[in-house]
Amino acid sequence: MTVELPQQRRVTPVNSLTKRNISKIFASDAFSFAFCFFMGAAFFIYIYGINILDFTYTDWLLSAGGDLSQHYMGWAFFRQSEWFFPIGLMDRLVYPFKESIVFTDSIPIFALIFKLFSPLLPANFQYFGLYGIMTYALQGGISGLIFKKLSGKFLYAIVGAAFFVFSAVMTYRMYGHTSLASHYIILLCLYFCVFKNERRSALGDISIWGGILSLAASVHMYFVPMAAIFLCFHQLDNWLDGKKLKRICIELVCEAGCLFITMYLLGYFYTGMSKAWDTGGLGHFSANINSMFNPMGMSRFLKDLPTATSGQYEGFAYIGLGMIIGIFEALVCAVGYCKNYKKIFADERIVRKIILSFEIILLFTALSLSHIVTFGNQTLFVYDGLPQFIYTVWNVFRSSGRMMWPVVYMIMFFVICVIMKKCGKKAGLVILAVLLVIQYQDLSPYIRGKGAGFAAKVEWHTNLLSPAWDRLGRDYKHIFYLSGLVNMNPLLKFASDNDMTVNDTYLARKDAVAIYGNIKEELQKIADGNSNPDTIYVFSESLGALSADNMHIYVIDGLTIGLRDKPDYMKSHE
């Protein structure tokens, strides 16, 4: 009689299980996203340091002047304003009118979030450092995820993402015009166009694209047409792929509805703002045909190229020396792959995606060049045969050169993908690594120079030094500019610190007709001897002389101001 012994299980060593689990983690898309996300954040800190990440450190924003100071003061006044409906409105910067946080370029989505928590925040609070590091992190994370999904290789994700983190067009905008550096929105559009889930429900598509459009409107209005164009081509691809036209139309209507609701809540359509859109300038702030190869002072190796107008800095789209060389390398790789073209073009979907991609590039290029097409310092031609309403809408986005950004990123994606796919796994990685080194060496002097202006801690000091300002801040409620915007930052900070209003300031868009009409009415009231007792009037000396009989004129810290009454503490400034 034979007795069978039970078969023993093979025990896998714990070390093997651990190694296998670690390998799975490293191979996952989530890990690639996280690694490239933190790589982008680390590069931000390398450039700008950590000081600006301090929420209470506001001196760097006030010291910078220009757009940065405007953005910070917009947030400061929005924070102090009462809540209105639509929720993006405030009444403190162009008092007595209301204006939208959108037109201060203060990153509306962050302004709204932090206003909700305003009672818990310190008096001096800024989120622009946080938004900057998030921008770089998302730039790295999203681009890294795309290359990981395309190649399946973690190293390709790192190298590919590094090109986008080193982006010249993003670096050029960051902390010059912070919200315009939000190029991760473009990458989100590319991601959902490239990785189209055929089984995604209609609600899923609406949530994704409606969310992207709403995000674009909540950051800066110039990203709205960019996202809308990607969406339209995405849905065109769906229709050509057999998706029912009825479903596509329903989705587009719902996605447009998400955008409209967001814009309405933020105050884009507030009464009186319609006049603020007609600003002119289309064709002046355009891109040049040489934009992608014109470093405009950013390249270590290449010389600047001429431009046709002084406003073509808006069309800055330098792609970098490493990527310029990469374009030629990609063309060589593509030509060497000619024998497989028949196989590639036999797949209808690939052909369609290639054609649609080129159409997107051509459309964005045409929009960026505007109706006045230039090359170098020469105007090649002007076309004005389109209906007038097209130029009217186009003029809303008069800085049309910004439409070159999607073109830059799409070309970068194509170059990296072609080298990645056609040069072999190891050879492609080596080529891209070399190009990355060249890219960084080309851009590094500008990058380090720009970061140096923010890494070191600075102190901002107001030039309103007289002790009388403390009493003025307690006794008065309004600052009213009668002639020109002078001494803006100190006076805005003074008004903000003392919970005062101002009647005018620099904004991306404003209803100048209403503001100037209000100034005219106030001048008439002064002439009639009816100036407001709770208002500090700021004006030029010539106007002060004309109004001297109707109010008391003082010169304080270089400013000429007028008061209805005659405070004792102002005697020394008569």
Side-chain angles (χ1 to χ4, degrees):
M1 182 176 178
T2 304
V3 178
E4 293 185 4
L5 297 174
Q7 189 174 1
Q8 292 183 343
R9 286 186 178 181
R10 185 176 178 181
V11 179
T12 304
V14 175
N15 288 342
S16 297
L17 287 173
T18 303
K19 290 179 180 178
R20 190 182 304 168
N21 290 335
I22 291 174
S23 297
K24 286 182 179 179
I25 292 172
F26 274 88
S28 68
D29 292 344
F31 182 80
S32 293
F33 174 84
F35 186 93
C36 295
F37 181 92
F38 287 109
M39 180 180 72
F43 188 67
F44 173 89
I45 293 173
Y46 167 73
I47 300 175
Y48 300 102
I50 61 172
N51 287 325
I52 62 176
L53 297 178
D54 180 354
F55 291 112
T56 62
Y57 174 43
T58 60
D59 285 22
W60 67 284
L61 294 161
L62 292 166
S63 298
D67 287 336
L68 263 183
S69 297
Q70 171 198 323
H71 304 162
Y72 169 67
M73 293 312 306
W75 145 247
F77 277 86
F78 180 67
R79 174 186 180 179
Q80 293 174 340
S81 178
E82 298 292 331
W83 285 100
F84 295 97
F85 188 83
I87 59 175
L89 297 181
M90 56 179 160
D91 65 346
R92 307 187 67 82
L93 272 177
V94 289
Y95 186 85
F97 308 108
K98 296 183 182 69
E99 70 289 314
S100 171
I101 186 64
V102 167
F103 301 111
T104 67
D105 295 324
S106 304
I107 313 170
I109 188 171
F110 266 45
L112 285 167
I113 291 171
F114 286 107
K115 183 174 179 176
L116 290 171
F117 299 98
S118 184
L120 305 176
L121 302 178
N124 287 330
F125 179 86
Q126 61 87 17
Y127 49 73
F128 296 92
L130 173 65
Y131 189 78
I133 196 170
M134 285 184 59
T135 297
Y136 271 82
L138 289 171
Q139 183 88 347
I142 297 170
S143 58
L145 180 60
I146 293 174
F147 289 118
K148 173 59 171 61
K149 291 174 77 73
L150 287 173
S151 67
K153 301 295 180 182
F154 175 60
L155 289 178
Y156 271 117
I158 296 175
V159 175
F163 276 101
F164 285 80
V165 170
F166 295 166
S167 166
V169 289
M170 181 177 71
T171 303
Y172 181 76
R173 287 295 178 178
M174 180 59 71
Y175 297 138
H177 204 306
T178 311
S179 57
L180 287 177
S182 308
H183 296 178
Y184 63 87
I185 297 174
I186 300 172
L187 301 188
L188 277 175
C189 294
L190 286 171
Y191 177 87
F192 287 107
C193 283
V194 172
F195 303 107
K196 184 178 65 172
N197 188 340
E198 304 296 342
R199 298 182 180 180
R200 188 183 297 137
S201 66
L203 182 59
D205 258 354
I206 292 168
S207 300
I208 288 170
W209 285 100
I212 291 175
L213 288 170
S214 297
L215 174 63
S218 301
V219 172
H220 197 283
M221 66 178 184
Y222 270 81
F223 291 106
V224 172
M226 297 181 196
I229 288 171
F230 277 114
L231 169 60
C232 290
F233 275 92
H234 168 74
Q235 292 290 25
L236 176 59
D237 186 32
N238 285 338
W239 179 61
L240 295 173
D241 208 25
K243 196 172 182 179
K244 292 183 178 180
L245 184 60
K246 181 179 179 180
R247 172 177 164 176
I248 290 173
C249 292
I250 292 173
E251 288 181 5
L252 285 173
V253 169
C254 293
E255 288 152 356
C258 292
L259 173 62
F260 178 84
I261 291 171
T262 301
M263 294 180 72
Y264 176 77
L265 290 175
L266 289 174
Y268 275 89
F269 311 124
Y270 179 67
T271 302
M273 282 300 176
S274 58
K275 298 177 183 177
W277 295 104
D278 187 16
T279 55
L282 180 64
H284 181 74
F285 300 103
S286 62
N288 198 293
I289 289 177
N290 66 21
S291 288
M292 284 205 301
F293 308 99
N294 186 358
M296 293 189 182
M298 189 175 276
S299 173
R300 169 182 283 179
F301 304 112
L302 301 182
K303 293 181 179 180
D304 294 348
L305 300 175
T307 56
T309 73
S310 60
Q312 288 194 330
Y313 66 89
E314 289 288 5
F316 176 79
Y318 182 53
I319 202 167
L321 180 59
M323 193 52 59
I324 290 173
I325 298 172
I327 291 173
F328 292 103
E329 180 64 32
L331 290 173
V332 171
C333 290
V335 171
Y337 203 66
C338 284
K339 60 183 179 180
N340 294 315
Y341 277 174
K342 289 184 179 180
K343 182 179 179 181
I344 292 174
F345 286 104
D347 190 326
E348 181 184 340
R349 289 191 176 187
I350 294 178
V351 174
R352 185 174 69 244
K353 288 184 180 298
I354 291 174
I355 293 173
L356 289 176
S357 297
F358 276 107
E359 288 176 348
I360 293 174
I361 289 174
L362 289 174
L363 177 57
F364 274 120
T365 300
L367 289 174
S368 69
L369 295 176
S370 81
H371 64 300
I372 304 174
V373 180
T374 60
F375 179 68
N377 54 11
Q378 301 295 319
T379 298
L380 299 184
F381 60 89
V382 179
Y383 55 94
D384 51 9
L386 298 174
Q388 184 57 43
F389 81 89
I390 293 180
Y391 293 110
T392 302
V393 174
W394 201 351
N395 194 60
V396 171
F397 303 95
R398 61 174 185 169
S399 296
S400 62
R402 298 169 184 176
M403 298 298 161
M404 277 296 289
W405 301 338
V407 177
V408 170
Y409 288 124
M410 290 184 72
I411 290 176
M412 289 174 67
F413 268 118
F414 284 138
V415 167
I416 294 171
C417 288
V418 169
I419 294 175
M420 183 173 66
K421 294 288 187 181
K422 310 308 178 190
C423 295
K425 294 180 180 179
K426 292 183 179 179
L429 192 60
V430 170
I431 291 171
L432 288 174
V434 171
L435 294 176
L436 182 62
V437 171
I438 296 172
Q439 185 87 344
Y440 178 73
Q441 288 299 317
D442 184 40
L443 302 174
S444 60
Y446 177 87
I447 290 173
R448 288 198 297 266
K450 183 170 185 178
F454 298 95
K457 205 157 190 176
V458 297
E459 291 185 6
W460 178 79
H461 299 284
T462 180
N463 58 9
L464 306 181
L465 304 177
S466 172
W469 288 109
D470 293 333
R471 293 290 303 274
L472 289 169
R474 292 195 297 268
D475 295 346
Y476 293 84
K477 296 181 180 180
H478 311 287
I479 291 177
F480 200 103
Y481 285 97
L482 288 171
S483 177
L485 299 175
V486 295
N487 209 39
M488 285 299 298
N489 278 2
L491 272 176
L492 284 175
K493 187 66 166 62
F494 168 74
S496 174
D497 290 344
N498 291 281
D499 200 23
M500 302 172 74
T501 70
V502 295
N503 70 309
D504 193 12
T505 189
Y506 292 116
L507 296 170
R509 300 285 192 275
K510 61 184 178 182
D511 190 349
V513 174
I515 292 171
Y516 296 147
N518 185 42
I519 292 174
K520 186 176 179 180
E521 290 178 8
E522 199 67 26
L523 285 170
Q524 185 60 51
K525 287 171 64 178
I526 293 171
D528 295 339
N530 295 321
S531 58
N532 293 317
D534 59 356
T535 300
I536 300 172
Y537 294 95
V538 181
F539 43 90
S540 67
E541 291 188 20
S542 58
L543 267 175
L546 292 174
S547 307
D549 294 336
N550 300 316
M551 66 168 54
H552 301 285
I553 307 301
Y554 303 94
V555 178
I556 177 170
D557 291 327
L559 285 175
T560 302
I561 66 171
L563 305 175
R564 174 173 168 174
D565 300 320
K566 191 175 183 179
D568 291 338
Y569 55 83
M570 292 297 292
K571 286 183 179 180
S572 61
H573 300 287
E574 291 181 341

